[in-house]
Amino acid sequence: MAEIIDGKSIAEDVVAKVKEGAAALKASSGTVPGIAVVIVGEDPASQVYVASKSRKAKECGFHSVQHSLPETTTEDALLGLIGDLNSDPAIHGILVQLPLPDHMNSGRVIQAVAPEKDVDGFHFINVGKLGTGELETAFVPCTPAGAMVMIERARGRDLSGLNAVVVGRSNIVGKPIANLLLKANATVTIAHSRTHELPALCRTADILIAAVGRPKMIGGDWIKPGATVIDVGINRVPAPEKGEGKTRLVGDVDFVAAEKVAGAITPVPGGVGPMTIAMLMANTLTAAARAAGAEVPTF
Ligand code: GUN
C-alpha cells in the first residue's frame, strides 16, 4: 500500500516556518509582511476561500487587509484600487480572487498587479521567469508550488533520471508544475485531452501529476508500481450514501485503486488543497523579505 502524503501536516509545517520567518524579519528589519486580498462580488465559494486566506495571514502575524467590492464595481475602479495597493509600502502581496465578474477583463486586471507583489504568480513577468528558470526573483503560483513541496518530500530535490507526466495543461497548474519539474531535472511530458494512449503514457511516470478536473479519471491500472502520485483535482460529486442531495470531494485519481499500486499518493481532500494557502503565505513572506533586502527563506 502506498504511503499517504499528508498535505495538512506538510502545510502546517510550512505555515510554522512562515510564522518563524515573519517574526525574524520583523526583528531584523522592522518589516511586517502585508497582504491585500481583493474580492469582487458575492460568489459564496470565493467568499469562503478569501476568508480563510485572510484568517491564515493573521495567524502568520501578517498585516492583512481585505477589500470586498460589490459585483457592480467597474473595471476602472478595480484597477484604481490595484494601483493604490501597488504603491502602498505596507502591502507586499496582492491577490485578486478569481473568477472576476463577467464584465471585467481578468487578463487586464491580473497584469495590473505589480510583478514584485504578484503572490499568485500570474503576471507575465513571473510566468516568464518561471519558464526561464529564474526562480530567485519569481513568484510561482501557489498550487503548483505546494505540489512541488510534496514531491520534494517524497523524492528529494533532484529528480534526475525520473519520468514525470503532468496530465493537464492549464496556466494555473499544468504548465507551471511542468516547469518546476523540469527545473528539478525530471524528464517531463505534458499530457492533455488530445493525447493518444494516455493510460500507457501515465504508466511510464515515476511522478504522475493529475490536474484535469475529471473525477476519478485516472485508474489504478494507469499507475506504474511505486510511482509518486500527486492529485490536484478537487471535484464535488453526488454522495447519495451520505443522504439525499449530499456531496463529497474526490480527486482526478481513483484513490482506492491507485493506493494499491503507487509508492506514495496525495489524498483528496487533505492533499494538495491545504498546501495552496500555505504557499500563499510563503510567497507573501518572500515578497516582504525581498522588499526589505533581507534573506529570503526557502520552504
Ligand atoms: N480562485 C481559485 N483559485 C485561485 C487562486 O489560486 N488565486 C486566485 N487569485 N483566485 C483563485
Side-chain angles (χ1 to χ4, degrees), residues 190-269:
I190 303 180
H192 46 79
S193 55
R194 306 293 177 92
T195 298
H196 291 185
E197 315 276 3
L198 184 58
L201 178 65
C202 289
R203 274 193 294 276
T204 67
D206 302 298
I207 299 169
L208 180 62
I209 316 289
V212 270
R214 290 184 56 187
K216 297 192 188 179
M217 185 181 94
I218 294 179
D221 58 344
W222 295 31
I223 291 166
K224 179 175 176 174
T228 299
V229 178
I230 307 291
D231 190 350
V232 186
I234 299 180
N235 309 290
R236 193 164 281 287
V237 297
E241 71 279 7
K242 287 168 61 179
E244 202 185 312
K246 298 280 186 196
T247 60
R248 67 192 171 96
L249 294 178
V250 299
D252 292 346
V253 177
D254 180 349
F255 182 85
V256 172
E259 76 167 332
K260 297 190 175 84
V261 189
I265 185 167
T266 62
V268 177

Side-chain angles (χ1 to χ4, degrees), residues 14-48:
V14 169
V15 168
K17 281 191 186 149
V18 170
K19 284 183 197 169
E20 266 173 42
L25 181 66
K26 187 176 176 192
S28 67
S29 69
T31 298
V32 175
I35 181 167
V37 179
V38 181
I39 179 168
V40 187
E42 315 295 329
D43 179 63
S46 290
Q47 299 276 353
V48 171

Side-chain angles (χ1 to χ4, degrees), residues 38 46 49 53 95-99 120 122 141-143 172 276:
V38 181
S46 290
Y49 288 137
K53 285 169 186 174
L95 181 138
V96 182
Q97 185 68 21
L98 302 176
D120 253 333
F122 293 165
C142 301
T143 299
I172 296 184
T276 299

Side-chain angles (χ1 to χ4, degrees), residues 36-239:
V37 179
V38 181
I39 179 168
V40 187
E42 315 295 329
D43 179 63
S46 290
Q47 299 276 353
V48 171
Y49 288 137
V50 163
S52 61
K53 285 169 186 174
S54 297
R55 202 176 326 115
K56 190 64 80 179
K58 290 201 177 96
E59 186 190 322
C60 288
F62 293 178
H63 166 59
S64 166
V65 292
Q66 184 176 322
H67 294 269
S68 301
L69 307 180
E71 179 88 21
T72 51
T73 304
T74 63
E75 187 178 312
D76 277 351
L78 177 59
L79 292 173
L81 171 62
I82 292 171
D84 292 344
L85 295 169
N86 282 343
S87 52
D88 183 343
I91 296 297
H92 305 99
I94 301 169
L95 181 138
V96 182
Q97 185 68 21
L98 302 176
L100 287 168
D102 288 344
H103 66 274
M104 292 197 183
N105 179 331
S106 299
R108 205 153 46 210
V109 171
I110 288 166
Q111 302 311 319
V113 175
E116 66 277 13
K117 298 191 178 188
D118 169 37
V119 284
D120 253 333
F122 293 165
H123 194 286
F124 292 149
I125 293 270
N126 287 312
V127 176
K129 285 180 174 179
L130 174 57
T132 50
E134 300 281 323
L135 295 187
E136 293 290 294
T137 63
F139 286 107
V140 176
C142 301
T143 299
M148 203 60 201
V149 169
M150 300 174 114
I151 293 167
E152 283 172 1
R153 301 227 175 172
R155 310 292 304 229
R157 280 183 188 258
D158 184 2
L159 307 177
S160 296
L162 298 179
N163 290 336
V165 173
V166 180
V167 188
R169 54 176 158 177
S170 71
N171 290 331
I172 296 184
V173 180
K175 286 177 197 165
I177 194 126
N179 271 316
L180 290 170
L181 289 160
L182 199 54
K183 177 86 176 168
N185 302 318
T187 302
V188 182
T189 307
I190 303 180
H192 46 79
S193 55
R194 306 293 177 92
T195 298
H196 291 185
E197 315 276 3
L198 184 58
L201 178 65
C202 289
R203 274 193 294 276
T204 67
D206 302 298
I207 299 169
L208 180 62
I209 316 289
V212 270
R214 290 184 56 187
K216 297 192 188 179
M217 185 181 94
I218 294 179
D221 58 344
W222 295 31
I223 291 166
K224 179 175 176 174
T228 299
V229 178
I230 307 291
D231 190 350
V232 186
I234 299 180
N235 309 290
R236 193 164 281 287
V237 297

